[in-house]
């Protein structure tokens, strides 16, 4: 498939971000963003950092729909998410190994069963991937879709930052109003789309030397003008995902405990 070949190239400089939700008595989880270089099956992690547990309060969040089994979400993903990427088996295994390696480095190798959402920020990839972590510590691939991260495009455009970011009560999720900005764009997508907010973070500025503060969010985007561009770098630093995937994550409580 020419499209998949374009998105998955060897020797890439990749970034992975994944949000983890656990089944504790409160909402818990992390977003982990790291940098990796892959060459001839050799893996060298370049950088990672970790922040704290999160306790999010969700605004206007409907109860999650149950699924009969964790892996049952794979069929739901195929049926409901219209913008999908079909990953070869070796790519699925590559990402699973990278996740396990980084979780071990971060002291998260004994996590309970949960879904993991990853975003690969490489300009040659630009994809979001969903995995299930079993109670045996095995990672099962659920599905993948195109995404967009930060582009070098002038004032107030940031490079999507690396690290592990907590999602806490100070940074409440919210829902898009679906209104148009001055350019006629619905930046967060249509009304009701959930915006996952990870607060103010340090990120590299693309319009001048140095770092600055940006608001790191995971969200849908304008369905007419911007969603068709997913799979390429487009954002001001946030992570854009398809509306159908946003709805699946929200409906089934993928990032909620």
């Amino acid at each position: 498939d020419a499209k998949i070949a374009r998105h998955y190239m060897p020797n890439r400089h990749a970034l992975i971000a994944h949000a983890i939700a656990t089944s504790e008595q409160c909402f818990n989880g992390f977003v982990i963003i790291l940098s990796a270089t892959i060459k001839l099956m050799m893996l060298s992690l370049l950088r990672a950092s970790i922040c704290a547990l999160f306790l999010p309060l969700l605004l206007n969040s409907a109860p999650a729909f149950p699924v009969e089994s964790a892996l049952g979400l794979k069929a739901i993903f195929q049926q409901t998410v219209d913008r999908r990427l079909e990953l070869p088996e070796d790519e699925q295994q590559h990402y699973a190994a990278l996740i396990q390696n980084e979780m071990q480095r971060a002291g998260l190798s004994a996590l309970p069963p949960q879904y993991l959402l990853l975003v690969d920020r490489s300009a040659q990839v630009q994809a979001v991937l969903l995995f299930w972590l079993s109670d045996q510590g095995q990672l099962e691939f659920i599905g993948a879709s195109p995404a967009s991260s930060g582009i070098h495009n002038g004032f107030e455009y940031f490079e999507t930052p690396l690290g592990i970011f907590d999602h806490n009560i100070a940074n409440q999720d919210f829902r898009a109003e679906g209104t148009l900005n001055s350019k006629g764009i619905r930046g967060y997508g249509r009304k009701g789309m959930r915006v996952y907010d990870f607060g103010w973070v340090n990120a590299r500025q693309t319009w001048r030397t140095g770092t600055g503060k940006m608001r790191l969010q995971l969200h849908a985007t304008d369905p007419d003008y911007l969603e068709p561009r997913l799979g390429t770098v487009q954002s001001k630093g946030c992570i854009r995902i398809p509306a159908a995937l946003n709805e699946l994550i929200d409906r089934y409580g993928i990032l909620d405990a």
Side-chain angles (χ1 to χ4, degrees), residues 121 126 148-161 181-183 185 187-188 200-207 212-217 219 221 226 232-240:
R121 191 199 64 172
Q126 292 290 293
S148 288
S149 63
I151 188 173
H152 293 210
N153 198 34
F155 182 62
E156 291 191 342
Y157 279 78
F158 292 85
E159 184 177 84
T160 303
N181 63 18
S182 60
K183 297 182 179 179
I185 298 294
Y188 288 137
W200 293 101
V201 300
N202 284 315
R204 191 170 75 85
Q205 300 166 337
T206 66
W207 69 96
K213 292 287 188 180
M214 63 156 283
R215 197 85 181 183
L216 182 60
Q217 297 171 336
H219 59 81
T221 191
L226 299 181
T232 62
V233 287
Q234 293 288 332
S235 81
K236 298 184 74 173
C238 291
I239 299 163
R240 300 175 183 173

Side-chain angles (χ1 to χ4, degrees), residues 185-213:
I185 298 294
R186 288 174 285 181
Y188 288 137
R190 66 177 184 271
K191 185 175 182 179
M193 291 289 97
R194 184 158 160 196
V195 179
Y196 293 89
D197 194 326
F198 300 97
W200 293 101
V201 300
N202 284 315
R204 191 170 75 85
Q205 300 166 337
T206 66
W207 69 96
R208 63 184 180 186
T209 303
T211 62
K213 292 287 188 180

Side-chain angles (χ1 to χ4, degrees), residues 17-36:
H18 54 92
I20 303 173
T22 70
S23 55
E24 301 290 343
Q25 294 180 348
C26 57
F27 298 122
N28 299 315
F30 303 98
V31 167
I32 303 174
I33 305 178
L34 60 106
S35 177

